[in-house]
Amino acid sequence: MKFVFTGCVGSGKTEAIKTVSDIPVISTEAIPTDYLSKKTTTVALDYGELHLSKNNKLELYGTPGQRRFSYMWEILSKGASGFIILVNHQRENPLDDLDMYLENFSKYINNNLVVGITHTEDVIRITKELTMYSEHLKKYNFSAAVLPVDARRACNVITLLQALTLSIEEKL
Amino acid sequence: MISNNKTFTKIIEKQLLNLVSNFPFIEEAVIVSSDGYVVANSKTNNKCIEKVSTMGSSMISLADTMTAELKMGRCVNLITENESGLVVIIHINSDLKIITVTRKVSQLGMLLTSTKKYAAKIRESIN
Ligand SMILES: Nc1nc2c(ncn2[C@@H]2O[C@H](COP(=O)(O)OP(=O)(O)OP(=O)(O)O)[C@@H](O)[C@H]2O)c(=O)[nH]1
Ligand SMILES: [Mg+2]
């Protein structure tokens, strides 16, 4: 199955794929001219693989986050079975970030979606914050699990991928 | 960062204008940063070239990734031969790439040589 990680710059797409991939990740990083707090940014794609079980290999693609690379969003979305939108909770308007990727990927998502909220380790009442995202998704008729995830932690990323796999399998 | 430095941009722009005036079959020459921003352009007010240049930065990055995977080192130049034109992309340094475009499909040799020559010139002039 082909899964696509998308979401805004610094939400942890590249990191998440690196964290769980069973193969050395193929990445296309460049030094950013604008996001000076980041060392590198993705300019074409990330690619990794994860073997969930003997017969279940996930092909993990990461998109660039920046809008000027949106032609890559189209290219990478073709034939994808599921989408993971990562949202950096520490950004100023995380719901606007979420909207931007929902809008741009809606024609491919087909309700095969999970949303991972990153950078939440300092949040005290996480459940309340997660509800905010769930309700937002419902408002736009997306049914998707929303989970807190630290892209640096394999168990978190795997949980997210399992949630997506399950929701896809349930529909079959 | 790079793109805000005016004198730097002026130097590169001048080289690009020299390139297209010395080799008139070249329709357009652009310098793009490795993260997809147009730094200088031989033609002003061509909107389409911005998107194309960003694509060029993705392509050469992907080509580098591919050649590294094959243990062939960095990609030296990327050529796309198309039904009605040619595009060449060459690294100037780790931050900057040059992209040249022609409609003359018979001019691949000249396009490559001239683009390489000016990539080297620009590299020297900004060092
Ligand atoms: N503190 C914290 N850091 C995180 C978390 N998740 C990811 N990170 C870090 O945030 C950064 C994310 O960077 P990338 O993985 O390059 O982000 P990206 O989404 O691929 O960004 P672009 O390719 O530029 O669009 C990395 O340094 C991660 O280690 C988290 O939950 N908490
Ligand atoms: Mg990335």
Side-chain angles (χ1 to χ4, degrees), chain B residues 80-124:
Chain B
T80 77
E81 286 187 74
N82 317 301
E83 279 175 357
S84 50
L86 304 164
V87 181
V88 162
I89 312 174
I90 297 181
H91 288 289
I92 291 173
N93 56 30
S94 59
D95 292 333
L96 300 174
K97 325 290 153 200
I98 182 168
I99 303 176
T100 49
V101 179
T102 181
R103 303 274 155 191
K104 302 269 186 318
V105 281
S106 60
Q107 298 278 23
L108 178 58
M110 279 301 276
L111 184 67
L112 259 179
T113 334
S114 53
T115 310
K116 262 188 194 160
K117 187 170 143 195
Y118 274 81
K121 274 192 181 193
I122 293 169
R123 195 178 306 123
E124 268 166 36

mmCIF file of all heavy atoms in Angstrom, chain B residues 80-124:
data_model
loop_
_atom_site.group_PDB
_atom_site.id
_atom_site.type_symbol
_atom_site.label_atom_id
_atom_site.label_comp_id
_atom_site.label_asym_id
_atom_site.label_seq_id
_atom_site.Cartn_x
_atom_site.Cartn_y
_atom_site.Cartn_z
ATOM 1 N N THR B 80 16.693 17.409 -20.420
ATOM 2 C CA THR B 80 15.460 16.812 -20.899
ATOM 3 C C THR B 80 15.323 17.164 -22.376
ATOM 4 O O THR B 80 15.332 18.338 -22.758
ATOM 5 C CB THR B 80 14.195 17.216 -20.105
ATOM 6 O OG1 THR B 80 13.820 18.519 -20.483
ATOM 7 C CG2 THR B 80 14.413 17.154 -18.614
ATOM 8 N N GLU B 81 15.263 16.122 -23.193
ATOM 9 C CA GLU B 81 15.084 16.299 -24.633
ATOM 10 C C GLU B 81 13.610 16.107 -24.895
ATOM 11 O O GLU B 81 13.054 15.051 -24.605
ATOM 12 C CB GLU B 81 15.871 15.237 -25.394
ATOM 13 C CG GLU B 81 17.354 15.482 -25.399
ATOM 14 C CD GLU B 81 18.069 14.495 -26.316
ATOM 15 O OE1 GLU B 81 17.991 14.633 -27.543
ATOM 16 O OE2 GLU B 81 18.691 13.573 -25.762
ATOM 17 N N ASN B 82 12.996 17.120 -25.450
ATOM 18 C CA ASN B 82 11.549 17.085 -25.587
ATOM 19 C C ASN B 82 11.146 17.198 -27.047
ATOM 20 O O ASN B 82 11.985 17.513 -27.889
ATOM 21 C CB ASN B 82 10.957 18.215 -24.755
ATOM 22 C CG ASN B 82 11.650 18.303 -23.410
ATOM 23 O OD1 ASN B 82 11.641 17.332 -22.649
ATOM 24 N ND2 ASN B 82 12.321 19.402 -23.138
ATOM 25 N N GLU B 83 9.883 16.955 -27.326
ATOM 26 C CA GLU B 83 9.425 16.977 -28.722
ATOM 27 C C GLU B 83 9.793 18.285 -29.408
ATOM 28 O O GLU B 83 10.211 18.290 -30.548
ATOM 29 C CB GLU B 83 7.912 16.764 -28.771
ATOM 30 C CG GLU B 83 7.555 15.297 -28.645
ATOM 31 C CD GLU B 83 6.059 15.068 -28.560
ATOM 32 O OE1 GLU B 83 5.294 16.054 -28.540
ATOM 33 O OE2 GLU B 83 5.666 13.887 -28.500
ATOM 34 N N SER B 84 9.644 19.385 -28.671
ATOM 35 C CA SER B 84 9.949 20.640 -29.359
ATOM 36 C C SER B 84 10.840 21.552 -28.518
ATOM 37 O O SER B 84 10.617 22.752 -28.440
ATOM 38 C CB SER B 84 8.661 21.351 -29.753
ATOM 39 O OG SER B 84 7.812 21.415 -28.642
ATOM 40 N N GLY B 85 11.839 20.952 -27.914
ATOM 41 C CA GLY B 85 12.786 21.792 -27.198
ATOM 42 C C GLY B 85 13.670 21.017 -26.250
ATOM 43 O O GLY B 85 13.527 19.801 -26.086
ATOM 44 N N LEU B 86 14.595 21.742 -25.643
ATOM 45 C CA LEU B 86 15.561 21.127 -24.730
ATOM 46 C C LEU B 86 15.646 21.957 -23.456
ATOM 47 O O LEU B 86 15.511 23.182 -23.496
ATOM 48 C CB LEU B 86 16.957 21.120 -25.359
ATOM 49 C CG LEU B 86 17.129 20.456 -26.723
ATOM 50 C CD1 LEU B 86 18.447 20.900 -27.346
ATOM 51 C CD2 LEU B 86 17.099 18.940 -26.564
ATOM 52 N N VAL B 87 15.884 21.254 -22.338
ATOM 53 C CA VAL B 87 16.124 21.951 -21.080
ATOM 54 C C VAL B 87 17.374 21.344 -20.457
ATOM 55 O O VAL B 87 17.540 20.119 -20.447
ATOM 56 C CB VAL B 87 14.936 21.786 -20.094
ATOM 57 C CG1 VAL B 87 15.200 22.538 -18.792
ATOM 58 C CG2 VAL B 87 13.637 22.255 -20.719
ATOM 59 N N VAL B 88 18.264 22.206 -19.979
ATOM 60 C CA VAL B 88 19.467 21.731 -19.298
ATOM 61 C C VAL B 88 19.500 22.345 -17.902
ATOM 62 O O VAL B 88 19.191 23.524 -17.724
ATOM 63 C CB VAL B 88 20.734 22.126 -20.101
ATOM 64 C CG1 VAL B 88 21.980 22.045 -19.245
ATOM 65 C CG2 VAL B 88 20.891 21.227 -21.321
ATOM 66 N N ILE B 89 19.838 21.523 -16.916
ATOM 67 C CA ILE B 89 19.974 22.012 -15.533
ATOM 68 C C ILE B 89 21.352 21.607 -15.027
ATOM 69 O O ILE B 89 21.738 20.439 -15.140
ATOM 70 C CB ILE B 89 18.901 21.409 -14.598
ATOM 71 C CG1 ILE B 89 17.510 21.529 -15.230
ATOM 72 C CG2 ILE B 89 18.932 22.075 -13.226
ATOM 73 C CD1 ILE B 89 16.404 20.828 -14.455
ATOM 74 N N ILE B 90 22.081 22.571 -14.507
ATOM 75 C CA ILE B 90 23.453 22.292 -14.029
ATOM 76 C C ILE B 90 23.662 22.944 -12.661
ATOM 77 O O ILE B 90 23.196 24.061 -12.412
ATOM 78 C CB ILE B 90 24.494 22.843 -15.044
ATOM 79 C CG1 ILE B 90 24.351 22.110 -16.393
ATOM 80 C CG2 ILE B 90 25.921 22.700 -14.518
ATOM 81 C CD1 ILE B 90 25.335 22.552 -17.456
ATOM 82 N N HIS B 91 24.361 22.243 -11.781
ATOM 83 C CA HIS B 91 24.725 22.836 -10.484
ATOM 84 C C HIS B 91 25.751 23.942 -10.695
ATOM 85 O O HIS B 91 26.740 23.728 -11.403
ATOM 86 C CB HIS B 91 25.429 21.795 -9.604
ATOM 87 C CG HIS B 91 24.541 20.730 -9.075
ATOM 88 N ND1 HIS B 91 23.609 20.947 -8.101
ATOM 89 C CD2 HIS B 91 24.474 19.412 -9.359
ATOM 90 C CE1 HIS B 91 22.997 19.811 -7.817
ATOM 91 N NE2 HIS B 91 23.502 18.863 -8.571
ATOM 92 N N ILE B 92 25.520 25.084 -10.072
ATOM 93 C CA ILE B 92 26.591 26.096 -10.014
ATOM 94 C C ILE B 92 27.404 25.832 -8.757
ATOM 95 O O ILE B 92 28.613 25.761 -8.779
ATOM 96 C CB ILE B 92 25.996 27.519 -10.002
ATOM 97 C CG1 ILE B 92 25.387 27.795 -11.373
ATOM 98 C CG2 ILE B 92 27.055 28.556 -9.659
ATOM 99 C CD1 ILE B 92 24.619 29.077 -11.457
ATOM 100 N N ASN B 93 26.704 25.684 -7.670
ATOM 101 C CA ASN B 93 27.318 25.241 -6.410
ATOM 102 C C ASN B 93 26.203 24.573 -5.603
ATOM 103 O O ASN B 93 25.134 24.296 -6.156
ATOM 104 C CB ASN B 93 27.963 26.423 -5.670
ATOM 105 C CG ASN B 93 26.981 27.555 -5.413
ATOM 106 O OD1 ASN B 93 25.778 27.330 -5.248
ATOM 107 N ND2 ASN B 93 27.476 28.779 -5.377
ATOM 108 N N SER B 94 26.432 24.344 -4.319
ATOM 109 C CA SER B 94 25.414 23.604 -3.575
ATOM 110 C C SER B 94 24.124 24.411 -3.420
ATOM 111 O O SER B 94 23.043 23.848 -3.246
ATOM 112 C CB SER B 94 25.954 23.185 -2.214
ATOM 113 O OG SER B 94 26.323 24.339 -1.512
ATOM 114 N N ASP B 95 24.219 25.747 -3.533
ATOM 115 C CA ASP B 95 23.025 26.574 -3.338
ATOM 116 C C ASP B 95 22.296 26.927 -4.625
ATOM 117 O O ASP B 95 21.094 27.184 -4.607
ATOM 118 C CB ASP B 95 23.404 27.914 -2.674
ATOM 119 C CG ASP B 95 23.858 27.732 -1.256
ATOM 120 O OD1 ASP B 95 23.421 26.755 -0.631
ATOM 121 O OD2 ASP B 95 24.667 28.552 -0.784
ATOM 122 N N LEU B 96 23.024 27.005 -5.723
ATOM 123 C CA LEU B 96 22.441 27.558 -6.952
ATOM 124 C C LEU B 96 22.533 26.618 -8.142
ATOM 125 O O LEU B 96 23.530 25.891 -8.297
ATOM 126 C CB LEU B 96 23.164 28.863 -7.322
ATOM 127 C CG LEU B 96 23.117 29.997 -6.300
ATOM 128 C CD1 LEU B 96 24.004 31.147 -6.770
ATOM 129 C CD2 LEU B 96 21.691 30.476 -6.076
ATOM 130 N N LYS B 97 21.498 26.650 -8.963
ATOM 131 C CA LYS B 97 21.469 25.852 -10.204
ATOM 132 C C LYS B 97 21.176 26.803 -11.359
ATOM 133 O O LYS B 97 20.468 27.797 -11.180
ATOM 134 C CB LYS B 97 20.359 24.785 -10.176
ATOM 135 C CG LYS B 97 20.077 24.156 -8.823
ATOM 136 C CD LYS B 97 21.170 23.266 -8.335
ATOM 137 C CE LYS B 97 21.172 23.203 -6.820
ATOM 138 N NZ LYS B 97 22.422 22.763 -6.243
ATOM 139 N N ILE B 98 21.678 26.443 -12.541
ATOM 140 C CA ILE B 98 21.328 27.218 -13.738
ATOM 141 C C ILE B 98 20.448 26.349 -14.630
ATOM 142 O O ILE B 98 20.687 25.143 -14.765
ATOM 143 C CB ILE B 98 22.593 27.720 -14.476
ATOM 144 C CG1 ILE B 98 22.193 28.576 -15.685
ATOM 145 C CG2 ILE B 98 23.505 26.572 -14.912
ATOM 146 C CD1 ILE B 98 23.369 29.348 -16.306
ATOM 147 N N ILE B 99 19.423 26.973 -15.171
ATOM 148 C CA ILE B 99 18.520 26.254 -16.071
ATOM 149 C C ILE B 99 18.472 27.022 -17.394
ATOM 150 O O ILE B 99 18.275 28.241 -17.394
ATOM 151 C CB ILE B 99 17.087 26.176 -15.489
ATOM 152 C CG1 ILE B 99 17.119 25.507 -14.117
ATOM 153 C CG2 ILE B 99 16.157 25.415 -16.437
ATOM 154 C CD1 ILE B 99 15.764 25.456 -13.416
ATOM 155 N N THR B 100 18.697 26.315 -18.510
ATOM 156 C CA THR B 100 18.578 26.963 -19.817
ATOM 157 C C THR B 100 17.563 26.217 -20.671
ATOM 158 O O THR B 100 17.410 25.009 -20.561
ATOM 159 C CB THR B 100 19.933 27.015 -20.546
ATOM 160 O OG1 THR B 100 20.521 25.713 -20.511
ATOM 161 C CG2 THR B 100 20.876 28.018 -19.925
ATOM 162 N N VAL B 101 16.896 26.993 -21.510
ATOM 163 C CA VAL B 101 15.799 26.453 -22.309
ATOM 164 C C VAL B 101 15.975 26.873 -23.767
ATOM 165 O O VAL B 101 16.295 28.034 -24.040
ATOM 166 C CB VAL B 101 14.445 27.021 -21.801
ATOM 167 C CG1 VAL B 101 13.284 26.490 -22.622
ATOM 168 C CG2 VAL B 101 14.239 26.698 -20.327
ATOM 169 N N THR B 102 15.802 25.933 -24.694
ATOM 170 C CA THR B 102 15.801 26.295 -26.113
ATOM 171 C C THR B 102 14.700 25.541 -26.850
ATOM 172 O O THR B 102 14.292 24.458 -26.427
ATOM 173 C CB THR B 102 17.166 25.994 -26.778
ATOM 174 O OG1 THR B 102 17.097 26.402 -28.154
ATOM 175 C CG2 THR B 102 17.510 24.522 -26.736
ATOM 176 N N ARG B 103 14.214 26.123 -27.925
ATOM 177 C CA ARG B 103 13.237 25.429 -28.792
ATOM 178 C C ARG B 103 13.953 24.687 -29.918
ATOM 179 O O ARG B 103 13.334 23.980 -30.683
ATOM 180 C CB ARG B 103 12.263 26.420 -29.443
ATOM 181 C CG ARG B 103 11.484 27.276 -28.486
ATOM 182 C CD ARG B 103 10.209 26.627 -27.983
ATOM 183 N NE ARG B 103 9.881 27.220 -26.695
ATOM 184 C CZ ARG B 103 8.953 26.760 -25.868
ATOM 185 N NH1 ARG B 103 8.255 25.702 -26.187
ATOM 186 N NH2 ARG B 103 8.740 27.331 -24.709
ATOM 187 N N LYS B 104 15.269 24.934 -30.041
ATOM 188 C CA LYS B 104 16.022 24.335 -31.154
ATOM 189 C C LYS B 104 16.555 22.967 -30.734
ATOM 190 O O LYS B 104 17.594 22.880 -30.097
ATOM 191 C CB LYS B 104 17.189 25.253 -31.538
ATOM 192 C CG LYS B 104 16.779 26.656 -31.931
ATOM 193 C CD LYS B 104 16.548 26.726 -33.421
ATOM 194 C CE LYS B 104 16.268 28.098 -33.967
ATOM 195 N NZ LYS B 104 15.403 28.994 -33.259
ATOM 196 N N VAL B 105 15.841 21.925 -31.119
ATOM 197 C CA VAL B 105 16.209 20.579 -30.653
ATOM 198 C C VAL B 105 17.568 20.113 -31.170
ATOM 199 O O VAL B 105 18.175 19.206 -30.619
ATOM 200 C CB VAL B 105 15.138 19.526 -31.039
ATOM 201 C CG1 VAL B 105 13.975 19.577 -30.100
ATOM 202 C CG2 VAL B 105 14.684 19.689 -32.462
ATOM 203 N N SER B 106 18.049 20.752 -32.232
ATOM 204 C CA SER B 106 19.327 20.326 -32.803
ATOM 205 C C SER B 106 20.532 20.899 -32.052
ATOM 206 O O SER B 106 21.670 20.572 -32.362
ATOM 207 C CB SER B 106 19.399 20.759 -34.260
ATOM 208 O OG SER B 106 19.297 22.175 -34.299
ATOM 209 N N GLN B 107 20.289 21.749 -31.063
ATOM 210 C CA GLN B 107 21.395 22.491 -30.446
ATOM 211 C C GLN B 107 21.835 21.938 -29.095
ATOM 212 O O GLN B 107 22.368 22.685 -28.279
ATOM 213 C CB GLN B 107 20.985 23.964 -30.266
ATOM 214 C CG GLN B 107 20.678 24.684 -31.549
ATOM 215 C CD GLN B 107 21.935 25.177 -32.245
ATOM 216 O OE1 GLN B 107 23.015 24.630 -32.008
ATOM 217 N NE2 GLN B 107 21.827 26.165 -33.083
ATOM 218 N N LEU B 108 21.642 20.649 -28.877
ATOM 219 C CA LEU B 108 21.964 20.096 -27.550
ATOM 220 C C LEU B 108 23.419 20.340 -27.155
ATOM 221 O O LEU B 108 23.714 20.762 -26.041
ATOM 222 C CB LEU B 108 21.629 18.597 -27.499
ATOM 223 C CG LEU B 108 21.959 17.896 -26.184
ATOM 224 C CD1 LEU B 108 21.240 18.552 -25.006
ATOM 225 C CD2 LEU B 108 21.593 16.426 -26.234
ATOM 226 N N GLY B 109 24.321 20.058 -28.090
ATOM 227 C CA GLY B 109 25.755 20.226 -27.804
ATOM 228 C C GLY B 109 26.084 21.641 -27.392
ATOM 229 O O GLY B 109 26.714 21.874 -26.352
ATOM 230 N N MET B 110 25.590 22.575 -28.191
ATOM 231 C CA MET B 110 25.862 23.990 -27.906
ATOM 232 C C MET B 110 25.212 24.423 -26.594
ATOM 233 O O MET B 110 25.789 25.197 -25.837
ATOM 234 C CB MET B 110 25.311 24.861 -29.039
ATOM 235 C CG MET B 110 26.214 24.927 -30.246
ATOM 236 S SD MET B 110 27.833 25.572 -29.814
ATOM 237 C CE MET B 110 27.483 27.322 -29.885
ATOM 238 N N LEU B 111 24.025 23.919 -26.365
ATOM 239 C CA LEU B 111 23.306 24.305 -25.145
ATOM 240 C C LEU B 111 24.084 23.844 -23.907
ATOM 241 O O LEU B 111 24.289 24.601 -22.968
ATOM 242 C CB LEU B 111 21.888 23.711 -25.139
ATOM 243 C CG LEU B 111 21.012 24.124 -23.956
ATOM 244 C CD1 LEU B 111 20.680 25.614 -23.994
ATOM 245 C CD2 LEU B 111 19.705 23.324 -23.915
ATOM 246 N N LEU B 112 24.545 22.591 -23.979
ATOM 247 C CA LEU B 112 25.308 22.040 -22.849
ATOM 248 C C LEU B 112 26.608 22.803 -22.632
ATOM 249 O O LEU B 112 26.925 23.199 -21.510
ATOM 250 C CB LEU B 112 25.632 20.576 -23.123
ATOM 251 C CG LEU B 112 24.774 19.536 -22.429
ATOM 252 C CD1 LEU B 112 25.223 18.148 -22.843
ATOM 253 C CD2 LEU B 112 24.844 19.674 -20.908
ATOM 254 N N THR B 113 27.360 22.990 -23.728
ATOM 255 C CA THR B 113 28.672 23.644 -23.593
ATOM 256 C C THR B 113 28.524 25.068 -23.073
ATOM 257 O O THR B 113 29.236 25.472 -22.154
ATOM 258 C CB THR B 113 29.395 23.719 -24.961
ATOM 259 O OG1 THR B 113 28.919 22.667 -25.789
ATOM 260 C CG2 THR B 113 30.876 23.623 -24.809
ATOM 261 N N SER B 114 27.577 25.804 -23.656
ATOM 262 C CA SER B 114 27.455 27.201 -23.239
ATOM 263 C C SER B 114 26.937 27.306 -21.808
ATOM 264 O O SER B 114 27.397 28.136 -21.031
ATOM 265 C CB SER B 114 26.545 27.965 -24.202
ATOM 266 O OG SER B 114 25.315 27.288 -24.324
ATOM 267 N N THR B 115 26.016 26.431 -21.444
ATOM 268 C CA THR B 115 25.479 26.494 -20.075
ATOM 269 C C THR B 115 26.567 26.144 -19.065
ATOM 270 O O THR B 115 26.710 26.802 -18.032
ATOM 271 C CB THR B 115 24.267 25.542 -19.909
ATOM 272 O OG1 THR B 115 23.349 25.767 -20.969
ATOM 273 C CG2 THR B 115 23.561 25.768 -18.588
ATOM 274 N N LYS B 116 27.342 25.113 -19.387
ATOM 275 C CA LYS B 116 28.451 24.723 -18.499
ATOM 276 C C LYS B 116 29.448 25.850 -18.330
ATOM 277 O O LYS B 116 29.899 26.142 -17.230
ATOM 278 C CB LYS B 116 29.196 23.512 -19.100
ATOM 279 C CG LYS B 116 28.745 22.219 -18.489
ATOM 280 C CD LYS B 116 29.617 21.065 -18.931
ATOM 281 C CE LYS B 116 28.916 19.785 -18.569
ATOM 282 N NZ LYS B 116 29.380 18.636 -19.318
ATOM 283 N N LYS B 117 29.755 26.486 -19.462
ATOM 284 C CA LYS B 117 30.738 27.577 -19.444
ATOM 285 C C LYS B 117 30.251 28.702 -18.533
ATOM 286 O O LYS B 117 31.000 29.205 -17.696
ATOM 287 C CB LYS B 117 30.914 28.081 -20.876
ATOM 288 C CG LYS B 117 32.009 29.088 -21.058
ATOM 289 C CD LYS B 117 32.244 29.309 -22.542
ATOM 290 C CE LYS B 117 32.575 30.768 -22.821
ATOM 291 N NZ LYS B 117 32.453 31.091 -24.242
ATOM 292 N N TYR B 118 28.984 29.044 -18.661
ATOM 293 C CA TYR B 118 28.465 30.145 -17.848
ATOM 294 C C TYR B 118 28.235 29.728 -16.397
ATOM 295 O O TYR B 118 28.342 30.568 -15.499
ATOM 296 C CB TYR B 118 27.215 30.757 -18.500
ATOM 297 C CG TYR B 118 27.620 31.803 -19.495
ATOM 298 C CD1 TYR B 118 28.037 31.438 -20.770
ATOM 299 C CD2 TYR B 118 27.685 33.148 -19.139
ATOM 300 C CE1 TYR B 118 28.475 32.383 -21.680
ATOM 301 C CE2 TYR B 118 28.124 34.108 -20.039
ATOM 302 C CZ TYR B 118 28.517 33.723 -21.309
ATOM 303 O OH TYR B 118 28.959 34.676 -22.186
ATOM 304 N N ALA B 119 27.966 28.463 -16.169
ATOM 305 C CA ALA B 119 27.863 27.990 -14.778
ATOM 306 C C ALA B 119 29.208 28.225 -14.091
ATOM 307 O O ALA B 119 29.273 28.714 -12.963
ATOM 308 C CB ALA B 119 27.474 26.524 -14.742
ATOM 309 N N ALA B 120 30.287 27.897 -14.823
ATOM 310 C CA ALA B 120 31.635 28.082 -14.264
ATOM 311 C C ALA B 120 31.925 29.564 -14.063
ATOM 312 O O ALA B 120 32.458 29.974 -13.021
ATOM 313 C CB ALA B 120 32.672 27.445 -15.182
ATOM 314 N N LYS B 121 31.558 30.377 -15.045
ATOM 315 C CA LYS B 121 31.784 31.837 -14.942
ATOM 316 C C LYS B 121 31.071 32.404 -13.725
ATOM 317 O O LYS B 121 31.615 33.205 -12.978
ATOM 318 C CB LYS B 121 31.232 32.544 -16.183
ATOM 319 C CG LYS B 121 32.195 32.584 -17.326
ATOM 320 C CD LYS B 121 31.663 33.553 -18.377
ATOM 321 C CE LYS B 121 32.619 33.582 -19.565
ATOM 322 N NZ LYS B 121 32.346 34.678 -20.461
ATOM 323 N N ILE B 122 29.811 31.996 -13.557
ATOM 324 C CA ILE B 122 29.026 32.525 -12.435
ATOM 325 C C ILE B 122 29.623 32.047 -11.109
ATOM 326 O O ILE B 122 29.751 32.806 -10.157
ATOM 327 C CB ILE B 122 27.536 32.122 -12.574
ATOM 328 C CG1 ILE B 122 26.936 32.832 -13.781
ATOM 329 C CG2 ILE B 122 26.744 32.433 -11.318
ATOM 330 C CD1 ILE B 122 25.568 32.358 -14.206
ATOM 331 N N ARG B 123 30.033 30.792 -11.081
ATOM 332 C CA ARG B 123 30.663 30.241 -9.874
ATOM 333 C C ARG B 123 31.867 31.100 -9.492
ATOM 334 O O ARG B 123 32.039 31.485 -8.340
ATOM 335 C CB ARG B 123 31.094 28.795 -10.129
ATOM 336 C CG ARG B 123 31.416 28.009 -8.874
ATOM 337 C CD ARG B 123 31.777 26.562 -9.206
ATOM 338 N NE ARG B 123 30.764 25.896 -9.995
ATOM 339 C CZ ARG B 123 30.980 25.326 -11.202
ATOM 340 N NH1 ARG B 123 32.188 25.337 -11.743
ATOM 341 N NH2 ARG B 123 30.005 24.740 -11.855
ATOM 342 N N GLU B 124 32.680 31.413 -10.495
ATOM 343 C CA GLU B 124 33.876 32.224 -10.228
ATOM 344 C C GLU B 124 33.502 33.622 -9.761
ATOM 345 O O GLU B 124 34.074 34.131 -8.802
ATOM 346 C CB GLU B 124 34.712 32.358 -11.519
ATOM 347 C CG GLU B 124 35.772 31.277 -11.641
ATOM 348 C CD GLU B 124 36.338 31.237 -13.065
ATOM 349 O OE1 GLU B 124 36.475 32.324 -13.671
ATOM 350 O OE2 GLU B 124 36.590 30.129 -13.547
#
